[in-house]
Amino acid sequence: MEEEIKEKKGVGLKAFGMSLILLSSLNLMLSWRGGFPIDLFYPTILVVGIALFVVGTLKGK
């Protein structure tokens, strides 16, 4: 008997969003501790990561 494997919706978006959140927050902390000016790129990636995580969460429900 074959068992159906159900894919959970939104898992890919949540994982990608979480990886963007982690990478951008690490870059922001390293820039802050190193005394480098913070570019607009890293906060933008953080916001995009949060948005993707929220969309993945909503898609999974």
Side-chain angles (χ1 to χ4, degrees), residues 19 22-23 35 49:
S19 65
L22 289 173
L23 288 175

Side-chain angles (χ1 to χ4, degrees), residues 7-15 50-61:
E7 289 187 28
K8 293 186 178 182
K9 294 182 180 179
V11 173
L13 283 175
K14 283 172 63 174
I50 292 170
L52 285 175
F53 187 80
V54 169
V55 168
T57 303
L58 293 176
K59 198 172 186 181
K61 291 186 178 182

